[in-house]
Amino acid sequence: MKKSEKQEKALVKKAMRGSPKAFGDLIEAQQEYLYRMAYLYVRQEADALDVVQESILKAYKSLKTLREPEYFRTWLTKILINTAQDTLRARQRMAPLEEELDLPAPEGLPPEERMDLPGAIARLPEKYQDVIKLKYFDGYTIREISEATGMPQGTVSVYLRRAVKELQTLLKEEPVCKKK
């Protein structure tokens, strides 16, 4: 375990014992990461900031439910993902009918101009979006994605393969991700 990991674990333990300053220090260290993750989900600055704020509040209120201090970031990520998904569901319920219409893309435009990667990811089923964002945008391992989402590792692997295949179909390009 690295020195910074030991320091973080000690801070988490302090926060779990009720230290607001320790919790604040932990959040301060994670704030950029939290915002990037929230923005990947909701793709609007104001909503991303709301998701981060709500996630921090939820995390603070439920800090005693964290079992293993070394998984603080994973636990916090899971809270953030759930909060972002709640925000997206609420946004869908409030969207006016004309915004929900899926208008066809203008003819004659090359595929790369009709759809970009974020647009293609948004068209994937929610379960695939989660694993793609965690793996390719944040560099999580399959094990870390499993812990953050609560899915078995085998399911995460299958979802990743299916999501990449769907993205390739949606983008009609060369393979999005190469196997190692």
Side-chain angles (χ1 to χ4, degrees):
M1 189 178 289
K2 296 177 188 172
K3 187 175 182 177
S4 63
E5 289 174 356
K6 284 183 180 182
Q7 290 170 335
E8 182 177 293
K9 188 174 177 180
L11 265 178
V12 172
K13 286 181 177 182
K14 270 186 179 178
M16 290 172 74
R17 288 192 299 269
S19 170
K21 181 182 180 347
F23 184 77
D25 291 346
L26 287 166
I27 294 301
E28 189 175 320
Q30 301 290 332
Q31 69 186 21
E32 185 178 321
Y33 162 76
L34 292 171
Y35 175 77
R36 281 185 297 133
M37 282 300 294
Y39 192 84
L40 277 172
Y41 278 87
V42 297
R43 293 191 300 184
Q44 291 181 3
E45 184 178 355
D47 285 347
L49 292 170
D50 287 345
V51 166
V52 170
Q53 185 175 4
E54 190 174 335
S55 298
I56 291 169
L57 183 61
K58 286 179 179 179
Y60 186 73
K61 286 180 177 179
S62 61
L63 194 56
K64 295 194 186 313
T65 66
L66 176 62
R67 292 187 194 129
E68 299 179 48
E70 59 271 12
Y71 294 118
F72 175 76
R73 183 174 172 152
T74 302
W75 174 79
L76 189 58
T77 300
K78 187 173 187 174
I79 292 172
L80 183 111
I81 289 170
N82 290 336
T83 304
Q85 289 174 340
D86 291 345
T87 299
L88 290 173
R89 281 191 282 275
R91 187 192 296 166
Q92 281 180 333
R93 283 193 300 269
M94 295 175 9
L97 182 60
E98 55 276 0
E99 283 183 24
E100 291 180 18
L101 293 176
D102 208 8
L103 300 174
E107 291 299 316
L109 286 178
E112 61 270 13
E113 290 182 28
R114 283 190 259 157
M115 183 180 307
D116 56 352
L117 184 58
I121 291 171
R123 292 181 59 193
L124 292 174
E126 194 175 284
K127 60 189 178 184
Y128 294 168
Q129 289 180 33
D130 292 344
V131 294
I132 285 289
K133 289 172 184 172
L134 289 170
K135 175 72 175 165
Y136 297 106
F137 288 92
D138 206 51
Y140 272 44
T141 64
I142 289 175
R143 191 183 116 245
E144 291 169 334
I145 295 170
S146 172
E147 291 166 359
T149 61
M151 286 187 259
Q153 290 182 27
T155 302
V156 171
S157 294
V158 169
Y159 283 6
L160 278 170
R161 280 194 302 279
R162 290 178 183 169
V164 167
K165 189 173 181 176
E166 274 194 49
L167 283 173
Q168 288 170 345
T169 302
L170 289 170
L171 294 172
K172 292 182 174 79
E173 293 179 356
E174 293 299 313
V176 176
C177 311
K178 294 180 182 173
K179 269 192 169 180
K180 290 184 178 180

